[in-house]
Amino acid sequence: MEMNQDKYSDLTKGYDQDSDKRGNIPAESVFEEVLPNVIAAKSNELFALARKSSLWTLSFGLACCAIEMMSAHMSHHDIDRFGIVTWPSPRQSDVMIVAGTVVKKMADPIKRLYEQMPEPKWVIAMGACATNGGPYYRSYSVVMGVDHLIPVDVYVPGCPPRPEALMYGIMELQDKISSDAKNRANLISKKHLNNEN
Amino acid sequence: MKISENINESGSTVDMLINMGPQHPSTHGVFRLVLQLDGELIVDAEPHIGYLHRGSEKLCETESYSQVVTLFDRLDYVANLNSELAYCMAVEKLLELQIPDRAWYIRTILCELNRISSHMLFYGVYGLDVGAMTPVLYGFRERERIQSLFEQVTGARMMHNYIRIGGVKEDTPPEFNENLHAVVLELEKAIEECDELLTQNEAFLARTKNISCLTIEDAIDFGVTGPILRSTGLVEDVRISEPYGIYDRFDFGIPIGSTGDCWDRYYIRMQEMRESLSIIKQAIKQMEPGEVQAKMRRIVRPPKGECFVRTESPRGDLGVFLVSDGSQNPYRVKVRAPSFANLQAIKHMLEGVYVADAVVILGSLDIVLGEVDR
Amino acid sequence: MTWEAIGWYVIGAFGLFIFLSITVMFLTWIERKFLARIQQRMGPMRVGPHGTLQPIADVIKLITKEDILPSWTDKPIYWLAPLAIFIPAIAIWVTIPFSETLVLQNLDLGLLYIAAISVLSVLGLVMAGWGSANKYSMLGGLRAVGQLISYEIPFIMAILGVAILSQSLSLIDIVNDQSAIANIIVQPLGFLIFLAAGLAELGRTPFDIHHAESEVVGGPFVEYSGAHWAIIQLAEYVNTFAIAALIAILFLGGWSWPSMPFTGITNDFLSLVWFLIKIYAVILLIFWIRGTFPRLRIDQLMSFGWKVLVPVSFINIVFTAIIRFYNLHWSILTVISLISIGIIFYLIYKTPQKSRKKDSIRIISAKDAVNNPPKNYGDINVR
Amino acid sequence: MEDQANKTTALNAASQKLLGILPSILNQPTLQYRTNIDELTVNLPGDLVHTICKILKTHTDTAFDYLTCLSVVDYEDILEINYHLFSYTKRHKMVLKCELKSTDPTISSISNIWRAANWFEREAHDLFGVLFEDHPSLDRLLLPDDFEGNPGLKSYPLHEYKEW
């Protein structure tokens, strides 16, 4: 699998290289250290329930898809119904919707924005450009997909995706959050058992 | 970046550099503005663009003539049909094609509708910039109506690829006229509603009246076009200075401002929506059934040569410079983007205003970064 | 003070804290639903019936989120700022009564206490602005200082007007004094001044300048995340609730106007309900203003404060004092207030530097303009 | 570009008039005036660009107040710079063309005549490597500062599409 060969590919350095091994399970929270393991396993599911019900997105539009992302927030589609509001500062957001083409000049700011978001955080790559370069796959200045820079949880195809497609992507993310919490709960109880034995 | 850096040893203050963007809620995309502040006043501003430079012009050289339309869709992603029209007109000028009447009527109706939807986006986002959160929802409600009409005709909400070289892709569906009538009636009401919601609001007037008054000479010198140029008081519109298409068949008005401030720019756009509606209504009456595509070869090979075409997009003078070497692909495509030239003037406009005004002025330019950076 | 009394105070304070936290959580839900109503949306729908569990989800999420400490912050100040915002917001509730008996401690100088405490929140904002070491925070913090200090004056002046009418600084006395006629009818001018100054103290639209999203991206709080940010947000809504309660007490007659024809426990209960209805009405008014108004600029805010609200609040006090001194009928004050309101609105409407008319835009016929290029710039030689 | 000359010329009335008076205004006997579809085209040597632009803007009969577009076309061995001009008061238009050697693409800047040229020239410098003398700040505009090469040129390769 050949990736982008130029020097911008080294922007991916310094990321959690173990994330593949962990299988996208969110990092440990403080509560797991404080609470007894059994409670922690259950509380994790409760937290996942809360997190998936209140996904605050970073208001951050790059290109064409940003217009459809805005449409999704507006009266007709209104994703506030799922508890999703946009927030201007990365410090208070949970989800980064990368809506549009990521060019090399924008690579560093995007990486920094992702780093500024507090854990747990998720990324939705919206549209063909953010997924793999889309119509600009031959361009000299476009990063071939935002997953060269930051880990992506959900890809929403389309050019641009309809607001309904974005909504479906968000629901997939919600499913992912709760199933991840269940996996984590299994993992913790296994660890617990191993410690006892 | 300690704040104490900003206070030098003698205790006097120095200016503060503040970085607006690339991610800032009111830069309308990825635009970076480095402001030098003395308290709340802007001393100097330096715009930085290129955060969305996708190399479209270079990519156009590798696609065939009819494929380039898709790339033009994505330039001005708020008024897609207007950019498609500019490109197709350039190729047709090289080919010396005669476009059937009905195709021109369809193009005109859709482009004017797109102008309304673009101005509706401006209306909403401008409301957000001055701090009112409701207008954006009203603006997008109307956009949604127009987009669903586009979807019936072109099959897509945003990236239509409908205006083709030599006409349009296909004739309108049979229920189009009926739906168009309904949308026009709804838009008429909605424009009045939006007007009442924001235009005469006391706080809105205070924020926009007499802010960043641009003189005609400065505006022309910076190459500023479109509603911003008209707000300074110059009677100018590509539809009247270099008429194209069938605009000479309609009786419509050009709104002209007098002070060139932000309120004039805003209200000119509101009036343009009304004028666009009147063009659409006249076009519906005049339109007759007929061909929608000129007789031409499937593979477009314009003769060797070059041409420059100007059209009036919602943001101003959208020009396409097309060089052909007689092959299947264009040799060079250069887009003269209105937002690009309008944005140049921002350094001049921002001198000596408040930080809060910077947001209002940038909003009043109504830039689309896809077009600025290409 | 006996241990028993201290015990009751502790229980009361704890109960008040719980009550405020829950109320405020649901205020966020009410705000989202109400704004959605204005904006032709539905608002939160999926989390619980009609989204009622939405605030709980938000709070749990915020508490369990990572709390980032940026490396360049001024750490003690950064950590203390949320507390410095939150403690005054809660402390103000010590003396705000819900009914004649339902109050933690009714102070004889209650209004003075409230005026004194409400200034303290400025400290928290500027600490947050400075401690974050972020330029947006800094701008927001400094804006907050300017704004809140300036609007303290009309805020206190409007309170004084009420105090002169009731001849007391105790909130319960003020409410009981209004059992015949509410202050909003006697002093409509004072009500408007207090509403404007209160909105500015809260930092709500059209005075949300220090945390303007489109300019300074959240102002002093731009760097806060997780639980600290939740505390700041909680404090903001507690303050909103407090200002609404103060308006209800000072101007809308609290629980005693119009007086209930019941006695005993029914009366107590109904008057509490009636009081809460008044508070929520004021809160909805605040949200309504948020949904419709743009934001002012910092210099316009200052000039509105110093050139309009401060002089007008002095006028209000002087006339109130005259009426009170000569024991004239209250309706004279109403008439004077209404006349001054009319004059102020007329003056604002007629501000000379803004032409209100839409005729700065002219419409030129395209058919004429095609054939007549302008001879000089600015020439309009057609229609 | 021979076949262009054979085309039916469609200069509008204002541009016809311009064609009549232009030689006397510019007063450069070596210049060739051509019509290309509906535009009046003049080829200029590089050293004349600044003076002629100044005349075209300031002269009351030409009054080209609006620089519509400045573009560069790469013909491998030469770089052709196109200045599209338009006058709001006279409503005529013309194109100035200037050919530069691609080994030494240097030309004087016109950003002190039309301020609109500032960014157009920076863009041309960024994408094509044209050097504009006396430009106030000739930095990269669209591409990041550490980008190597001038991607607008025909010699700059595009990515090849790889299936994976």
Side-chain angles (χ1 to χ4, degrees):
Chain A
M1 179 167 155
E2 267 189 54
M3 286 294 196
N4 212 3
Q5 297 266 323
D6 59 354
K7 61 188 161 155
Y8 286 93
S9 58
D10 66 35
L11 287 172
T12 41
K13 273 182 199 158
Y15 270 103
D16 191 358
Q17 299 293 340
D18 301 336
S19 63
D20 286 347
K21 288 175 217 156
R22 278 199 285 114
N24 265 332
I25 293 166
E28 283 190 31
S29 73
V30 190
F31 289 83
E32 282 162 22
E33 293 161 18
V34 183
L35 296 172
N37 282 339
V38 180
I39 300 176
K42 281 292 169 203
S43 68
N44 239 8
E45 283 178 46
L46 174 72
F47 296 159
L49 201 63
R51 281 169 184 165
K52 79 172 198 186
S53 312
S54 121
L55 292 170
W56 291 1
T57 63
L58 180 60
S59 59
F60 171 49
L62 285 167
C64 332
C65 295
I67 305 292
E68 287 296 67
M69 185 180 78
M70 281 162 84
S71 291
H73 283 101
M74 296 304 156
S75 318
H76 194 83
H77 300 286
D78 190 24
I79 53 176
D80 191 18
R81 285 177 297 150
F82 309 103
I84 294 163
V85 286
T86 57
W87 219 262
S89 166
R91 296 277 191 228
Q92 291 120 32
S93 347
D94 313 303
V95 190
M96 181 165 160
I97 300 182
V98 185
T101 322
V102 184
V103 306
K104 285 168 184 168
K105 198 170 178 177
M106 194 60 200
D108 264 340
I110 283 194
K111 224 182 107 178
R112 177 183 279 210
L113 279 174
Y114 181 74
E115 282 163 351
Q116 281 173 338
M117 284 163 62
E119 289 278 352
K121 54 193 169 188
W122 298 275
V123 177
I124 295 179
M126 182 183 180
C129 301
T131 307
N132 62 358
Y136 302 97
Y137 66 92
R138 294 185 68 187
S139 173
Y140 51 87
S141 66
V142 173
V143 178
M144 298 298 145
V146 74
D147 47 6
H148 288 239
L149 304 170
I150 53 178
V152 176
D153 294 276
V154 175
Y155 297 89
V156 182
C159 188
R162 302 173 59 94
E164 290 92 330
L166 178 64
M167 267 190 249
Y168 182 70
I170 287 168
M171 284 169 169
E172 289 291 301
L173 180 63
Q174 290 179 336
D175 286 351
K176 182 183 152 85
I177 291 168
S178 46
S179 67
D180 277 356
K182 284 205 183 80
N183 291 347
R184 176 141 201 91
N186 292 337
L187 207 76
I188 289 170
S189 50
K190 265 180 211 155
K191 201 162 77 180
H192 186 63
L193 289 175
N194 289 344
N195 287 350
E196 291 214 329
N197 293 341
Chain B
M1 203 191 63
K2 278 265 181 196
I3 284 168
S4 52
E5 281 171 16
N6 290 323
I7 301 168
N8 58 18
E9 282 171 9
S10 62
S12 64
T13 55
V14 292
D15 293 344
M16 176 163 81
L17 274 182
I18 194 166
N19 205 350
M20 263 177 79
Q23 186 263 333
H24 187 278
S26 55
T27 51
H28 300 244
V30 277
F31 167 62
R32 179 164 156 232
L33 198 58
V34 180
L35 300 175
Q36 195 181 339
L37 299 183
D38 176 15
E40 285 267 341
L41 282 173
I42 296 173
V43 179
D44 195 13
E46 188 59 46
H48 291 270
I49 60 169
Y51 290 92
L52 194 53
H53 176 63
R54 308 187 271 203
S56 305
E57 287 175 2
K58 174 101 174 167
L59 287 180
C60 289
E61 295 167 14
T62 65
E63 310 279 346
S64 73
Y65 276 95
S66 41
Q67 285 173 322
V68 171
V69 181
T70 57
L71 287 171
F72 267 77
D73 258 334
R74 286 155 182 80
L75 282 183
D76 183 350
Y77 45 76
V78 178
N80 322 67
L81 286 161
N82 294 68
S83 3
E84 285 177 21
L85 178 69
Y87 170 73
C88 292
M89 275 172 59
V91 182
E92 286 153 10
K93 194 170 171 184
L94 273 184
L95 286 169
E96 297 186 36
L97 267 183
Q98 283 300 317
I99 312 302
D101 253 14
R102 185 174 170 81
W104 262 119
Y105 278 108
I106 295 173
R107 282 177 175 192
T108 311
I109 289 174
L110 292 186
C111 284
E112 292 303 322
L113 271 178
N114 213 337
R115 190 186 308 276
I116 296 173
S117 83
S118 166
H119 285 342
M120 272 295 176
L121 183 100
F122 162 81
Y123 164 80
V125 178
Y126 200 49
L128 273 191
D129 284 343
V130 294
M133 59 190 304
T134 304
V136 67
L137 290 114
Y138 281 66
F140 264 87
R141 184 191 62 193
E142 304 317 315
R143 254 187 85 82
E144 206 67 43
R145 275 185 195 141
I146 298 173
Q147 278 184 326
S148 58
L149 184 72
F150 282 161
E151 198 178 359
Q152 289 167 18
V153 181
T154 69
R157 280 164 59 88
M158 274 177 70
M159 304 305 174
H160 311 290
N161 195 8
Y162 180 70
I163 296 180
R164 300 282 173 86
I165 298 159
V168 295
K169 184 182 139 213
E170 60 189 6
D171 208 343
T172 52
E175 69 276 12
F176 172 70
N177 269 22
E178 204 178 311
N179 291 338
L180 183 61
H181 268 292
V183 167
V184 166
L185 285 181
E186 277 167 348
L187 279 176
E188 254 173 359
K189 259 186 265 162
I191 291 170
E192 299 308 320
E193 196 183 5
C194 293
D195 202 355
E196 273 171 32
L197 181 63
L198 194 59
T199 310
Q200 294 281 298
N201 188 307
E202 191 59 45
F204 182 72
L205 283 171
R207 284 301 296 279
T208 53
K209 275 271 181 195
N210 295 328
I211 302 295
S212 115
C213 298
L214 199 62
T215 60
I216 300 182
E217 286 79 12
D218 275 341
I220 292 174
D221 204 26
F222 277 113
V224 167
T225 49
I228 308 165
L229 180 60
R230 287 195 279 281
S231 77
T232 61
L234 184 70
V235 185
E236 159 60 23
D237 189 306
V238 182
R239 288 174 293 180
I240 61 167
S241 65
E242 272 190 78
Y244 59 91
I246 50 166
Y247 278 106
D248 49 352
R249 299 184 198 174
F250 305 122
D251 189 13
F252 63 101
I254 308 285
I256 302 293
S258 50
T259 54
D261 59 7
C262 290
W263 191 85
D264 274 13
R265 290 172 205 163
Y266 159 81
Y267 200 62
I268 277 185
R269 291 189 174 100
M270 298 299 282
Q271 292 286 30
E272 269 184 18
M273 289 198 265
R274 298 195 172 106
E275 297 302 330
S276 292
L277 272 186
S278 105
I279 293 177
I280 293 168
K281 276 191 257 171
Q282 293 172 44
I284 297 173
K285 272 187 203 142
Q286 295 178 12
M287 192 160 66
E288 282 165 3
E291 285 288 306
V292 294
Q293 181 79 29
K295 297 264 181 300
M296 54 183 281
R297 281 196 289 170
R298 298 259 333 197
I299 295 173
V300 185
R301 280 175 196 270
K304 205 170 167 184
E306 58 190 54
C307 73
F308 186 76
V309 165
R310 292 166 67 205
T311 60
E312 182 74 19
S313 94
R315 264 149 277 284
D317 177 356
L318 175 64
V320 175
F321 179 56
L322 187 69
V323 182
S324 156
D325 61 348
S327 70
Q328 277 186 36
N329 302 345
Y331 189 75
R332 168 96 169 104
V333 180
K334 160 82 185 172
V335 186
R336 189 261 175 225
S339 309
F340 181 78
N342 293 355
L343 193 56
Q344 272 192 77
I346 195 154
K347 190 172 157 62
H348 172 77
M349 291 184 202
L350 286 185
E351 277 164 17
V353 300
Y354 287 91
V355 185
D357 288 339
V359 172
V360 176
I361 293 168
L362 182 63
S364 74
L365 294 183
D366 190 22
I367 50 168
V368 169
L369 264 299
E371 200 183 41
V372 175
D373 294 340
R374 281 155 289 149
Chain C
M1 197 182 275
T2 58
W3 284 108
E4 198 187 350
I6 291 174
W8 277 116
Y9 277 130
V10 170
I11 292 170
F14 192 69
L16 186 67
F17 180 74
I18 300 290
F19 168 76
L20 281 180
S21 309
I22 292 171
T23 316
V24 157
M25 264 165 58
F26 284 95
L27 265 191
T28 61
W29 176 78
I30 290 170
E31 177 169 27
R32 278 166 81 167
K33 283 303 243 192
F34 189 70
L35 283 180
R37 194 73 214 151
I38 290 176
Q39 296 162 346
Q40 310 186 332
R41 296 187 286 130
M42 301 188 82
M45 287 299 286
R46 294 300 175 96
V47 190
H50 282 264
T52 35
L53 297 179
Q54 186 65 50
I56 295 174
D58 286 344
V59 166
I60 294 177
K61 181 208 76 174
L62 279 172
I63 289 174
T64 58
K65 227 169 149 54
E66 185 191 4
D67 213 340
I68 292 178
L69 174 71
S71 56
W72 51 79
T73 48
D74 204 336
K75 287 179 187 58
I77 294 181
Y78 181 79
W79 286 137
L80 279 177
L83 284 183
I85 296 169
F86 186 65
I87 289 174
I90 292 288
I92 221 170
W93 281 91
V94 168
T95 190
I96 293 180
F98 286 95
S99 75
E100 288 233 39
T101 47
L102 205 58
V103 53
L104 201 58
Q105 174 65 59
N106 185 38
L107 302 172
D108 287 341
L109 292 175
L111 278 177
L112 189 68
Y113 173 80
I114 285 170
I117 292 286
S118 67
V119 188
L120 280 182
S121 61
V122 182
L123 184 67
L125 290 173
V126 76
M127 276 166 74
W130 179 267
S132 307
N134 179 312
K135 287 172 181 175
Y136 286 114
S137 310
M138 190 70 207
L139 265 182
L142 293 180
R143 281 177 173 194
V145 176
Q147 172 183 344
L148 298 200
I149 301 254
S150 322
Y151 276 74
E152 268 314 311
I153 297 165
F155 186 79
I156 293 169
M157 290 296 167
I159 289 178
L160 270 185
V162 175
I164 291 172
L165 272 185
S166 318
Q167 296 289 296
S168 167
L169 287 172
S170 157
L171 291 169
I172 290 185
D173 289 353
I174 289 172
V175 172
N176 288 339
D177 189 56
Q178 296 177 58
S179 54
I181 190 81
N183 279 345
I184 187 173
I185 297 170
V186 186
Q187 265 191 352
L189 182 61
F191 170 73
L192 286 183
I193 294 168
F194 192 80
L195 182 66
L199 284 177
E201 291 283 299
L202 294 172
R204 286 218 163 244
T205 321
F207 306 116
D208 57 342
I209 289 166
H210 63 263
H211 53 215
E213 266 187 31
S214 63
E215 293 154 27
V216 289
V217 212
F221 322 129
V222 73
E223 290 284 352
Y224 285 92
S225 62
H228 280 85
W229 192 80
I231 287 176
I232 291 171
Q233 212 56 6
L234 189 66
E236 297 252 307
Y237 281 93
V238 170
N239 276 333
T240 311
F241 200 59
I243 293 287
L246 276 180
I247 289 176
I249 287 171
L250 296 179
F251 291 98
L252 302 181
W255 54 86
S256 73
W257 176 81
S259 51
M260 298 273 169
F262 308 105
T263 49
I265 193 87
T266 333
N267 183 35
D268 285 356
F269 180 71
L270 282 181
S271 54
L272 181 64
V273 170
W274 182 225
F275 182 48
L276 286 175
I277 287 174
K278 280 178 182 172
I279 293 179
Y280 279 103
V282 176
I283 284 176
L284 289 188
L285 175 71
I286 291 173
F287 292 163
W288 186 11
I289 293 173
R290 181 174 176 212
T292 40
F293 259 81
R295 171 188 311 127
L296 286 170
R297 203 172 58 206
I298 183 80
D299 62 318
Q300 290 163 346
L301 174 94
M302 288 299 195
S303 64
F304 180 68
W306 288 103
K307 291 180 192 161
V308 179
L309 280 191
V310 170
V312 165
S313 56
F314 275 103
I315 291 172
N316 184 37
I317 286 182
V318 168
F319 279 114
T320 314
I322 290 170
I323 301 282
R324 184 77 209 179
F325 187 77
Y326 292 105
N327 259 334
L328 301 176
H329 195 253
W330 57 265
S331 58
I332 300 171
L333 188 54
T334 313
V335 173
I336 293 173
S337 272
L338 287 177
I339 290 171
S340 357
I341 291 173
I343 293 171
I344 294 161
F345 273 79
Y346 182 76
L347 287 180
I348 292 177
Y349 190 79
K350 278 287 173 189
T351 322
Q353 62 263 38
K354 303 192 296 272
S355 72
R356 178 169 301 275
K357 286 182 190 150
K358 293 177 179 178
D359 64 0
S360 68
I361 308 287
R362 287 151 297 175
I363 297 193
I364 311 289
S365 161
K367 283 219 156 123
D368 298 345
V370 167
N371 303 319
N372 301 317
K375 296 275 180 304
N376 295 304
Y377 299 147
D379 266 10
I380 292 167
N381 44 6
V382 280
R383 184 151 56 130
Chain D
M1 323 238 153
E2 265 65 47
D3 36 349
Q4 271 180 37
N6 304 332
K7 269 186 191 163
T8 48
T9 56
L11 283 189
N12 61 9
S15 296
Q16 288 283 6
K17 201 174 148 199
L18 175 70
L19 184 57
I21 57 174
L22 203 54
S24 61
I25 291 171
L26 294 185
N27 203 11
Q28 297 281 352
T30 52
L31 293 185
Q32 294 288 315
Y33 301 92
R34 295 186 288 116
T35 44
N36 169 29
I37 306 181
D38 62 343
E39 284 158 333
L40 179 62
T41 310
V42 183
N43 274 58
L44 293 179
D47 50 344
L48 272 181
V49 165
H50 193 268
T51 34
I52 285 187
C53 283
K54 190 124 200 163
I55 294 169
L56 286 177
K57 190 188 177 187
T58 48
H59 199 284
T60 45
D61 283 341
T62 50
F64 280 110
D65 41 14
Y66 171 39
L67 175 75
T68 317
C69 186
L70 189 158
S71 51
V72 184
V73 187
D74 175 24
Y75 290 109
E76 309 282 353
D77 47 343
I78 52 170
L79 286 175
E80 189 188 67
I81 308 207
N82 295 272
Y83 302 90
H84 291 262
L85 307 178
F86 186 78
S87 166
Y88 283 130
T89 47
K90 308 282 179 212
R91 293 216 178 125
H92 53 217
K93 56 181 178 179
M94 71 180 293
V95 188
L96 301 180
K97 280 173 182 291
C98 176
E99 291 183 351
L100 304 177
K101 284 200 191 74
S102 51
T103 48
D104 174 32
T106 310
I107 191 171
S108 60
S109 163
I110 55 161
S111 60
N112 48 5
I113 301 174
W114 291 284
R115 277 183 279 180
N118 190 326
W119 276 17
F120 282 116
E121 286 180 352
R122 275 177 73 181
E123 189 199 344
H125 169 72
D126 195 357
L127 298 182
F128 292 89
V130 183
L131 284 174
F132 292 92
E133 288 168 349
D134 306 330
H135 190 280
S137 60
L138 203 60
D139 306 329
R140 283 204 181 268
L141 180 67
L142 296 173
L143 293 165
D145 288 335
D146 55 350
F147 196 89
E148 285 158 21
N150 299 305
L153 296 175
K154 289 276 175 191
S155 55
Y156 192 93
L158 285 169
H159 286 283
E160 278 313 308
Y161 178 67
K162 290 198 192 84
E163 200 81 44
W164 65 58

